[in-house]
Amino acid sequence: MCGIVGYVGNGQAAPFLLEGLSKLEYRGYDSAGIAVYDGQIVNVDKSVGRLAALREKIGKDMPQGTLGIGHTRWATHGRPSDRNAHPHADCSGDFVVVHNGIIENYLSLKEELIEKGHHFQSETDTEVVAHLIEDVYDGDFLSSVRKVLQRIEGSYSLVFMSKKHPDELICTKQDNPLVIGLGEGENFIASDIPAIIGRTRQTFIMADGEIATVKKDSIKITDRSGNVLKKKVFTVNWNAEAAEKGGYEHFMLKEIMEQPKAVRDTMRERITKDGSGIVMNELKWDKEYLKSFNKIYIVACGTAYHAGLVGKYYIEKLARILVEVDVASEFRYRDPIIDEKTLMLVVSQSGETSDTLAALKEAKRRGAKTLAVTNVVGSSIAREADAVLYTWAGPEIAVASTKAYTTQLILMFMLALYMAEILETQTPTRIKELIDLLKNIPGQIGETLSDTEPIKTFAKRYGFNEDVFYIGRSLDYDVALEGALKLKEVSYIHAEAYAAGELKHGTLALIVEGVPVIALATQKSVYEKTLSNIKEVKARDAVVIGIAADGDEELIKYVDHVITVPQTDELLIPLLTVVPLQLLAYYGAITRGCDVDKPRNLAKSVTVE
Ligand code: F6R
């Protein structure tokens, strides 16, 4: 995720660009930049760090001009730096672009353009777009942009600016958001409504494949073939705060809802074109070296630790390598058995959790190779690890982690498949079958999110209970742990997860009439055993909400309510069953009037031991 803005009009561009970017910082904040055309040249100012650093750099010398674009970055290709900050220009400086998304085929385009004599300044994927338009430019701005779009693959929202066309900006999008704000004698472009809401409430919400030529007093929207489209004006009636949350009441809900896109972005570029294999270019080691690991340690905290538990299951099941999982705050105090044949996998959304970072350093000291699964490019953990797999979930603002968890699962599943391929522990047919099912997951998460009403009802009905239990076996137990953590941290309800088979070893004593038990029953090999545990709690008059796969006709006979998720392989089903649990926690917290995005005593990034 990044934030982009554009201005064309009678007024000065820079004040709007900076004001707009400040409203988009939630989309990314590792560097920022603006480009303003002053009538002779395009002045580009950029700075690593938050927008405040750019403001400081610009100081009182605000660039003058009525045409401009700006960007606040959440790094994907190329670490945060002045050089990698947007806007990016072509060789001549005549064309400047800002981009949100990923140009998947940038490497081959870059090679081609370098061969033609183009000079690149940054490590970004975006810069190819600036050089590409320089390369294909035929005197007509719009037709040149169309030619660029024919060459690039991936996800993007893009704004193009050229000093050859000082009265207009061209913008377009594919799989990333873009809006145009309609003003009087001026028009605005932005990734999202918060950036423009201070200037106008009249907007066009751009759709994939649409291209807009935006001038100060006209906006022409065409499709990729050049056909002019008529669009309806959308009047925004949200307040500024709601706009920042995409119209949702809280970041947590927004981030839960973003999961289909987040997991799609995690997979992007990591599946071979024919869908038969996994691409992990980020792993620096060759396949023979990867084969030499005889143990994997997964170390993390909180939700990331829960993701690690699922990761263990994936890697052991698919790649047949022994995996130990540990919480980072325990790991380094137990004199762990680690050597150069150990791969240390640290999982951390923020990449800054101090216990996880310390564990990573300790593993390195003991000779292990280290691999980070993180969401934040250039974070301490990303810098320290020998190799990094980024989740590409975009910034997670709510303290309670949601999209980070699902994207971590996706990445560890893909890593397990990749290792299975190398170690030949699964047949090519099975790998292809799992990849096919993986590709369905974004849509299936979307389906799971499409009807939240039953979950709201349960949350209202059971939100005032002081204790809630979560049970499951195998992968269902791992998801139960995450469900319970979500509920306790945002709603302050005492929630515990148990391996269903463990109940009778003590916890069953707590199950009395009316206690809510959330029972996950999706794993075929232990299904009957889970049913018998459910019967145990029902016999003590618990109220049981079952979580099952579509088509399960059995579970409803033994529980009070059932929530179903779409069918998939049981390895992938945690990606779906966690979603109702996240929603239950969210609506439970709402029922109790809790401050969902900022739960008491908790911080988003735990940088102290
Ligand atoms: C729970 C939650 C925390 C984090 C944990 C690790 O919702 O967000 O448990 O998962 O603090 O944080 P990262 O992943 O940033 O290392």
Side-chain angles (χ1 to χ4, degrees):
M1 249 166 57
C2 298
I4 62 179
V5 286
Y7 177 90
V8 50
N10 292 323
Q12 286 296 312
F16 166 74
L17 299 177
L18 293 172
E19 164 196 322
L21 290 179
S22 72
K23 303 289 182 218
L24 295 180
E25 265 202 305
Y26 70 91
R27 299 183 61 84
Y29 39 76
D30 59 45
S31 51
I34 59 172
V36 177
Y37 177 60
D38 69 4
Q40 286 184 328
I41 57 164
V42 177
N43 292 296
V44 181
D45 292 289
K46 10 190 197 180
S47 172
V48 69
R50 285 191 169 250
L51 187 61
L54 177 67
R55 281 188 195 275
E56 201 174 309
K57 194 168 184 179
I58 292 173
K60 293 202 175 74
D61 291 333
M62 198 68 117
Q64 299 296 302
T66 58
L67 181 81
I69 57 179
H71 188 272
T72 178
R73 182 166 185 248
W74 179 257
T76 58
H77 294 67
R79 64 170 49 208
S81 66
D82 282 2
R83 236 160 30 99
N84 289 335
H86 298 214
H88 289 289
D90 67 331
C91 300
S92 64
D94 286 354
F95 292 96
V96 189
V97 292
V98 284
H99 167 223
N100 166 32
I102 294 173
I103 306 299
E104 288 172 9
N105 58 337
Y106 84 102
L107 274 178
S108 57
L109 289 171
K110 190 168 176 175
E111 271 167 28
E112 177 190 322
L113 289 160
I114 288 174
E115 216 152 90
K116 286 180 167 175
H118 289 261
H119 294 287
F120 281 76
Q121 309 291 334
S122 75
E123 303 152 316
T124 65
D125 52 336
T126 304
E127 197 183 340
V128 295
V129 179
H131 291 279
L132 201 53
I133 189 152
E134 177 183 28
D135 202 63
V136 299
Y137 184 63
D138 57 12
D140 179 329
F141 199 9
L142 180 58
S143 99
S144 307
V145 169
R146 285 217 300 270
K147 284 183 193 158
V148 168
L149 299 185
Q150 281 163 12
R151 299 293 317 279
I152 60 175
E153 289 164 21
S155 68
Y156 47 80
S157 42
L158 280 162
V159 189
F160 295 82
M161 170 170 145
S162 169
K163 75 178 222 192
K164 295 175 192 284
H165 301 273
D167 302 323
E168 63 195 279
L169 295 173
I170 296 188
C171 61
T172 183
K173 72 159 253 147
Q174 183 66 42
D175 295 333
N176 278 304
L178 193 66
V179 298
I180 299 174
L182 316 172
E184 295 277 321
E186 57 185 359
N187 287 310
F188 313 92
I189 298 170
S191 295
D192 211 347
I193 286 167
I196 55 172
I197 207 168
R199 301 289 187 117
T200 178
R201 288 181 173 265
Q202 307 299 305
T203 65
F204 287 139
I205 310 287
M206 297 282 285
D208 284 350
E210 292 178 348
I211 309 171
T213 306
V214 183
K215 300 187 178 183
K216 67 179 182 182
D217 39 26
S218 73
I219 295 165
K220 186 172 95 178
I221 301 181
T222 61
D223 63 17
R224 285 204 187 138
S225 319
N227 303 308
V228 177
L229 305 170
K230 267 204 134 6
K231 270 190 92 74
K232 268 176 101 172
V233 173
F234 172 71
T235 305
V236 182
N237 48 22
W238 306 326
N239 63 28
E241 203 198 333
E244 207 164 289
K245 294 171 189 150
Y248 293 104
E249 213 180 319
H250 297 98
F251 279 112
M252 182 178 176
L253 186 58
K254 174 173 181 272
E255 287 158 8
I256 290 172
M257 294 296 174
E258 274 170 7
Q259 289 179 108
K261 172 162 172 22
V263 299
R264 198 173 285 123
D265 286 348
T266 311
M267 285 180 216
R268 203 183 286 282
E269 292 186 271
R270 291 185 168 129
I271 298 177
T272 56
K273 283 246 149 43
D274 65 359
S276 68
I278 300 294
V279 184
M280 291 251 149
N281 290 334
E282 305 99 315
L283 295 185
K284 296 191 176 145
W285 313 293
D286 65 25
K287 293 189 174 174
E288 280 314 306
Y289 189 69
L290 277 170
K291 276 186 189 171
S292 72
F293 294 122
N294 58 17
K295 181 162 82 177
I296 297 181
Y297 242 114
I298 302 182
V299 178
C301 299
T303 288
Y305 166 73
H306 292 158
L309 294 173
V310 179
K312 167 186 167 77
Y313 195 94
Y314 288 164
I315 296 168
E316 289 190 340
K317 184 91 181 166
L318 294 171
R320 309 303 295 154
I321 306 175
L322 175 71
V323 183
E324 301 272 359
V325 192
D326 209 348
V327 284
S329 53
E330 292 293 323
F331 170 81
R332 72 196 145 113
Y333 300 114
R334 68 162 92 257
D335 194 8
I337 301 171
I338 279 185
D339 58 25
E340 62 289 347
K341 291 217 176 305
T342 309
L343 175 63
M344 169 83 167
L345 184 62
V346 289
V347 186
S348 172
Q349 187 285 131
S350 62
E352 299 296 346
T353 301
S354 86
D355 281 321
T356 312
L357 180 60
L360 167 62
K361 287 181 179 162
E362 178 61 19
K364 256 177 119 172
R365 201 180 64 75
R366 289 173 185 246
K369 282 282 174 252
T370 56
L371 172 61
V373 168
T374 183
N375 195 32
V376 182
V377 176
S379 56
S380 305
I381 285 175
R383 289 199 308 270
E384 190 70 32
D386 295 314
V388 187
L389 294 171
Y390 287 110
T391 43
W392 305 140
E396 197 179 58
I397 310 285
V399 166
S401 198
T402 52
K403 61 179 179 170
Y405 176 81
T406 37
T407 53
Q408 286 159 358
L409 255 52
I410 293 276
L411 211 41
M412 284 188 279
F413 184 76
M414 296 184 100
L415 177 66
L417 278 180
Y418 183 69
M419 300 199 79
E421 233 175 280
I422 294 172
L423 295 163
E424 296 176 19
T425 46
Q426 303 295 320
T427 62
T429 317
R430 174 71 176 144
I431 289 174
K432 168 92 172 61
E433 178 190 42
L434 286 171
I435 291 174
D436 285 346
L437 291 170
L438 182 66
K439 289 198 266 184
N440 293 336
I441 291 292
Q444 291 181 318
I445 295 180
E447 262 177 68
T448 313
L449 287 167
S450 62
D451 183 13
T452 55
E453 281 313 312
I455 295 173
K456 280 186 200 162
T457 311
F458 296 141
K460 280 204 184 105
R461 200 174 301 168
Y462 304 115
F464 292 103
N465 278 73
E466 283 313 309
D467 305 288
V468 175
F469 292 90
Y470 289 69
I471 60 169
R473 284 170 178 260
S474 181
L475 280 171
D476 284 336
Y477 168 51
D478 296 336
V479 178
L481 285 164
E482 175 56 9
L485 176 64
K486 281 292 88 85
L487 188 71
K488 66 183 124 183
E489 70 179 318
V490 296
S491 73
Y492 317 145
I493 295 173
H494 170 235
E496 292 297 334
Y498 287 94
E502 273 289 294
L503 282 176
K504 54 185 165 300
H505 299 289
T507 310
L508 205 51
L510 295 175
I511 307 294
V512 291
E513 188 181 346
V515 168
V517 175
I518 319 285
L520 291 94
T522 68
Q523 300 294 306
K524 287 194 192 77
S525 58
V526 286
Y527 185 80
E528 291 304 327
K529 294 194 187 307
T530 307
L531 274 191
S532 82
N533 299 132
I534 289 172
K535 287 178 199 163
E536 281 165 13
V537 295
K538 266 319 292 173
R540 274 82 188 170
D541 294 322
V543 178
V544 182
I545 300 174
I547 313 273
D550 276 343
D552 182 328
E553 309 275 320
E554 193 64 11
L555 191 61
I556 189 62
K557 295 181 194 159
Y558 306 100
V559 301
D560 299 275
H561 318 278
V562 175
I563 298 172
T564 57
V565 298
Q567 279 190 4
T568 180
D569 190 278
E570 59 186 31
L571 286 175
L572 289 165
I573 213 157
L575 287 150
L576 306 179
T577 49
V578 76
V579 174
L581 303 189
Q582 295 168 339
L583 288 168
L584 202 58
Y586 173 76
Y587 288 114
I590 297 291
T591 304
R592 293 163 69 95
C594 301
D595 184 352
V596 179
D597 282 339
K598 294 194 190 76
R600 69 183 177 210
N601 307 339
L602 300 179
K604 182 68 188 157
S605 189
V606 185
T607 52
V608 288
E609 191 180 343

